[in-house]
Amino acid sequence: MRRAQLVCALAVVLAGCTSGKVVPGIEPPPKAASAVAEGTPFGPADVTITPPQPPVVPPTPDFWLPPGSYGNPNPLTTAVPSPAPPVLLPPGTRNVLLLGSDRRTGSGFRTDVIILASLQPENHAVTLLTIPRDLYVYQPGYTVTRINTAWINGETIGYPGGGPALLFDTIRYNLGLHVDHYALVEMSGFEQAIDTLGGVEVRVACSYTDWRLKSANVNPNVVSNWRLYTVPAGLVQMDGNLALWYARSRARSSDFDRSRRQHEVLRAVYRRALSIDAFARLPGFYADLTRVVYTDIGLADAGSLGLAVARISPDRIHSRFIGRGLVTGWRVPVSGAQVLLPKPDRIQALLQEAFTFPEEQEALVPQVVVEVVDAAGRPDWASLAVDRLEYAGMAATLGGAADEREPISLLLDFGQAGDEERLRVLRALGLRESAVVPSADASAPAAFRFILGENFDPCFDPTIPIS
């Protein structure tokens, strides 16, 4: 597969490549009837596709089937929550689920990576929302259980539309977000794809240490074949093996931290895709794309989505997470399983913030521009500061190095923005008000200049909203 073909595939669904273990010879996941409703290719050419079924009208928010309507679930261990109010999105918004399978053997699997990519073409914006795999939610018509089991449950209990339909409805019921399409991948070929690209440059915000095999060819069941490996903070060039390990590992971490690393790798592939104009050429690579991706996105949609994504600047990509502060850890009484109970009010507040963008005419002119200047002799960290500001939805540029080192980070305020904008910049960079230096200058090319000092810490927790 040519380089551009590989990067197109990765740019669309890389987030789903980061969970599970590659096992040669494993068959692809079963197909739901809804996956071929438009008669378009679904996945690898050697897969038998389930014949189309009559269309099923999805339930409306005021009519949801009670537990046990499908399948034979165990008795409920917690009350069924009320359906979430719908999240209102601009006309033309397309929501695509990026999914990663944890399959190791057999045909059963769970979607341990769930990222909703919401594209707003009119606003030139994207929101990437990570939904934790252990979120304990109501699967309409079945029971309350982990969200990562919705696909396989939908396939096995006879839910209309199968796995994709039950997962879509589960997200709609519990989060108020409709889903238009999905793209599901396993990891076969992931390392080769990254290597064919010549690797990707990942902006690592936090140094990360975890167990890693000494070689890809050694027996993972032998303890001595493992070693502690550290990825430092900074701009890190990763080949396929390292990128896969970095996005998967959590032995010394957590699912929340792994979500952050998955977004870092996904953004790295996006930047690489832009650098070779891969999105604009997506229609020509569609046949190759569907050999590595299981998706219900047709050729026409793939082309239009690719062109829309290519027009989006990094500061218009929101990375958001249903993180620690939005859930409560809970042990299921019968099974003893550790799950996450959602906090509906806090999640709704996050969703309202995450999916709200300025109107089109405002979106094309950044309201806050920050120039980042390295005064610590750490140009990589200056790039991380730019990335951190873009996470918060602010346009940022990388300036040159300062003439002298600065032990303390400072924020020069040129008086072109208001107090609210200044506070957003401070929160995004983890600074206090005392770091602000008023420097009124109406002719300055940026509203603020961040002087990155030796005390700057690039590590931050993006699972906590910063904008």
Side-chain angles (χ1 to χ4, degrees):
M1 189 182 293
R2 289 171 293 174
R3 174 175 295 188
Q5 294 168 329
L6 288 170
V7 78
C8 281
L10 288 169
V12 174
V13 295
L14 172 66
C17 291
T18 55
S19 177
K21 181 178 180 180
V22 177
V23 180
I26 296 301
E27 293 297 321
K31 309 298 181 299
S34 59
V36 292
E38 301 177 35
T40 56
F42 178 81
D46 58 348
V47 176
T48 300
I49 299 177
T50 304
Q53 300 294 320
V56 177
V57 178
T60 58
D62 59 351
F63 174 70
W64 293 98
L65 294 172
S69 298
Y70 295 97
N72 296 296
N74 293 325
L76 291 170
T77 56
T78 185
V80 175
S82 301
V87 177
L88 301 180
L89 300 173
T93 297
R94 305 295 291 277
N95 290 338
V96 181
L97 272 184
L98 307 180
L99 304 169
S101 162
D102 74 341
R103 175 171 24 209
R104 287 169 171 80
T105 59
S107 60
F109 68 93
R110 298 181 180 185
T111 52
D112 269 4
V113 176
I114 306 174
I115 298 179
L116 181 71
S118 180
L119 173 63
Q120 298 183 13
E122 293 185 1
N123 290 343
H124 308 289
V126 169
T127 290
L128 300 174
L129 174 70
T130 285
I131 303 170
R133 62 175 187 166
D134 292 333
L135 198 65
Y136 207 59
V137 295
Y138 178 52
Q139 296 180 11
Y142 184 51
T143 190
V144 178
T145 187
R146 283 190 175 100
I147 194 169
N148 68 343
T149 65
W151 184 301
I152 190 61
N153 287 339
E155 293 290 334
T156 57
I157 67 176
Y159 194 83
L166 182 54
L167 181 54
F168 285 17
D169 285 347
T170 298
I171 291 174
R172 187 181 177 196
Y173 184 96
N174 293 278
L175 300 181
L177 289 164
H178 76 273
V179 180
D180 300 298
H181 299 290
Y182 69 88
L184 183 146
V185 295
E186 297 182 29
M187 295 184 302
S188 178
F190 175 84
E191 292 185 34
Q192 177 189 352
I194 292 291
D195 291 337
T196 302
L197 293 174
V200 290
E201 186 179 67
V202 180
R203 299 181 180 181
V204 178
C206 308
S207 175
Y208 181 69
T209 300
D210 210 331
W211 293 102
R212 185 185 181 193
L213 284 173
K214 295 178 180 179
S215 169
N217 300 320
V218 299
N219 186 348
N221 296 317
V222 177
V223 174
S224 61
N225 286 339
W226 294 84
R227 61 168 174 162
L228 285 176
Y229 186 88
T230 298
V231 176
L235 306 185
V236 180
Q237 187 70 22
M238 296 189 183
D239 62 11
N241 182 266
L242 179 56
L244 182 61
W245 173 84
Y246 181 71
R248 289 181 62 203
S249 299
R250 65 181 186 91
R252 293 164 59 92
S253 180
S254 67
D255 279 340
F256 296 115
D257 183 67
R258 184 168 66 169
S259 296
R260 170 187 62 80
R261 288 180 272 118
Q262 289 168 356
H263 279 234
E264 288 178 348
V265 177
L266 181 59
R267 284 170 173 263
V269 173
Y270 174 75
R271 289 190 295 268
R272 181 61 176 155
L274 288 180
S275 73
I276 64 172
D277 199 26
F279 290 114
R281 291 182 280 172
L282 184 58
F285 307 139
Y286 182 78
D288 293 294
L289 174 64
T290 53
R291 292 183 183 276
V292 294
V293 179
Y294 304 91
T295 181
D296 63 349
I297 300 175
L299 175 57
D301 280 340
S304 61
L305 289 173
L307 290 173
V309 170
R311 299 179 59 194
I312 297 171
S313 62
D315 61 286
R316 302 290 295 171
I317 301 176
H318 281 185
S319 282
R320 296 295 183 264
F321 309 80
I322 297 180
R324 296 178 181 86
L326 281 66
V327 295
T328 300
W330 188 64
R331 185 183 295 275
V332 180
V334 177
S335 66
Q338 291 284 355
V339 297
L340 301 173
L341 297 178
K343 297 180 179 179
D345 292 343
R346 293 190 180 185
I347 290 178
Q348 286 301 311
L350 169 74
L351 298 180
Q352 291 299 329
E353 180 275 329
F355 293 93
T356 300
F357 290 90
E359 298 297 329
E360 180 181 9
Q361 61 270 22
E362 300 176 358
L364 299 180
V365 181
Q367 294 179 310
V368 177
V369 178
V370 184
E371 179 188 22
V372 178
V373 174
D374 173 32
R378 296 177 178 270
D380 282 8
W381 285 22
S383 295
L384 294 181
V386 169
D387 206 45
R388 189 161 167 172
L389 289 161
E390 290 176 346
Y391 260 72
M394 288 170 273
T397 60
L398 188 62
D403 295 332
E404 298 180 357
R405 296 285 184 90
E406 291 287 348
I408 305 297
S409 296
L410 302 171
L411 183 68
L412 306 187
D413 183 351
F414 296 121
Q416 300 177 13
D419 293 343
E420 183 177 348
E421 287 79 5
R422 184 181 66 254
L423 289 174
R424 287 183 62 213
V425 175
L426 291 173
R427 286 197 298 268
L429 293 171
L431 302 176
R432 296 182 179 181
E433 188 74 38
S434 58
V436 176
V437 178
S439 307
D441 184 355
S443 64
F448 303 93
R449 178 176 296 151
F450 174 51
I451 308 298
L452 188 150
E454 295 173 346
N455 70 330
F456 178 68
D457 183 1
C459 186
F460 73 109
D461 184 359
T463 66
I464 301 175
I466 57 178
S467 59

